[in-house]
Amino acid sequence: MTSSTYPQPIFNPAVECASREKITETQLGLLKEQVRLAYDKVPWYQARFKQIGLEPGDIKTLADVRLLPVTDKSVMRETYPFGLFAAPLDQIVRLHSSSGTTGKPVVVGYTKADIEEWRYCIMSMVQMAGVIPSDRAQMAFGYGMFTGGFGLHYGLEGLGCMMIPAGSGNTERHLMMIEDYGTTVLIATPSYALHICEVGEKLGYDWASSTLRVGLFGGEPCPPKMKQEIEQRMHIICTDNYGLTEVMGPGVSGECLFSRDHQHIAESHFIWEVVDPQTMEPVTEGGIGELVLTPLKKQGVPILRYRTRDLTRVTIDPCACGRTTARMEKIRHRSDDMLIIRGTNVFPSQFEDVLSHIEGASAHYRIIVDNEGGMDRLTLMLEVEPAVFSDSFTQMDSFRALVAEKLRSTLQLGVVVKLIEPHSLERSMGKTRHVEDLRS
Ligand code: DLL
């Protein structure tokens, strides 16, 4: 933390430091309006309400949110492209979408008022990360249907920052811009930030004397080891920011500089629930479960109880920064990225946990799942740190055996470990896919 980053005023203290009672009261008022809007303007919701025998007037307390129908990706696909829109299309000023692994993308539309609310959420989020109006912010997300580029762009510009809309890709040009324009804030996925860091190092760029001081990262998990590595190698503060297209985009939650493994949820705009993904029942307070979000101010596409599939836990304990908003733990995995290997459940984040404790293992790896002779097989392609990569077969083989053994004891499964040269895996400009499942 540097003195130029903190202390930073809280963007809207009346909202971000409100009492729990006030937060609840405000959320309930907004929830009632959203429910009414969804019921009156979206036939899909009205039909669901009737099916389950619910009237908008039945929502009397915040806990009644649990009575509402849930929405998930399959609903978005079923109603593709505009079936969930509440506003007439001539009031929609922007579309964004997110691609899934199968079928049509999810499409969302924003009215002018939605775009304003989104800008507000980003402004308060980036200020929480230590961004100040005099910052120069360089965008490394793409400006396309992905919400990351435009979403963060307008919020940062709204705060008064100098936006540098470089877009994704062309790493050497990014480095040149950081150097020539005195960039202070970089916006990217954490894996692309690490790539920019590595390319810079290779070209002799001196990160210690760079103007860059804050990373606004997100769009994919940023495991603690990766965060630490980026902070140390790039000499910046790396903040993790979360969001998803269906409920808005980035701006749902962000990191303050006091609670580095949590993110404050924008409770002025979202109701959160943490539920057991199997039963949809709330988990016990502070337990891990699936995050379900209900946006509170959407005019274009109101969404009730969106199942994010992201697993986390949420606390409402006070934060040292002074904000009273609930904080969610960093997302480490999704309920739908669980692999079932020979009957055993495996999450990619378990690999990360193991690798983060092995000196010499880099943050770059791929997990390949295939099937040989009817048996599922897990293979880990792991880039090793330059210091470990050597010509000595014995040295490399004992490192490989160590990784395999640690994985076996955590996963209770045998993993074929292949060590590969530093920088040999393809780097992604956007979200990195760590798993390749070749079974289907
Ligand atoms: O990734 C929105 C975003 C853009 C957030 C830029 C932050 C910065 P989608 O493409 O719809 O939207 O993907 C949403 O990405 O459900 C998570 O699984 C994952 N995700 C997003 N941010 C994080 C994060 C954007 N900070 C999906 N940590 C979500 C972990 C994240 N996972």
Side-chain angles (χ1 to χ4, degrees), residues 98 141 146-148 152 217-222 240-246 249-250 263 308 310 331 334 431:
S98 89
F141 284 138
F146 178 54
T147 52
L152 278 141
F217 302 141
E220 65 179 10
C222 182
D240 189 3
N241 303 284
Y242 169 83
L244 58 157
T245 314
E246 292 84 348
Q263 290 138 354
T308 65
D310 293 318
I331 304 284
R334 295 173 51 86
K431 303 187 189 217

Side-chain angles (χ1 to χ4, degrees), residues 54-205:
L54 188 73
E55 299 270 333
D58 294 336
I59 304 302
K60 297 196 170 74
T61 71
L62 205 53
D64 291 339
V65 72
R66 290 184 46 212
L67 303 174
L68 295 169
V70 292
T71 314
D72 63 11
K73 250 197 175 69
S74 71
V75 176
M76 313 284 296
R77 295 226 165 88
E78 187 190 315
T79 54
Y80 175 87
F82 303 137
L84 291 184
F85 283 37
L89 291 182
D90 63 2
Q91 284 175 29
I92 299 292
V93 296
R94 177 131 37 104
L95 291 185
H96 277 290
S97 71
S98 89
S99 53
T101 40
T102 52
K104 295 277 192 192
V106 161
V107 177
V108 290
Y110 305 74
T111 63
K112 275 190 180 165
D114 291 334
I115 295 282
E116 266 314 297
E117 295 299 340
W118 192 8
R119 206 165 71 109
Y120 167 93
C121 287
I122 298 289
M123 288 194 286
S124 80
M125 182 183 84
V126 300
Q127 185 147 322
M128 187 153 67
V131 174
I132 49 178
S134 57
D135 270 316
R136 300 176 192 178
Q138 187 165 316
M139 177 62 70
F141 284 138
Y143 284 93
M145 297 308 279
F146 178 54
T147 52
F150 284 108
L152 278 141
H153 178 108
Y154 285 114
L156 284 155
E157 207 174 75
L159 198 69
C161 299
M162 177 202 286
M163 265 318 290
I164 306 167
S168 73
N170 205 337
T171 308
E172 291 190 17
R173 191 176 65 133
H174 269 292
L175 286 161
M176 183 200 78
M177 288 177 160
I178 294 171
E179 175 87 353
D180 294 353
Y181 305 153
T183 303
T184 55
V185 176
L186 178 68
I187 307 111
T189 54
S191 53
Y192 188 49
L194 192 54
H195 180 57
I196 295 180
C197 170
E198 285 174 347
V199 173
E201 283 169 354
K202 262 205 217 153
L203 296 173
Y205 189 81

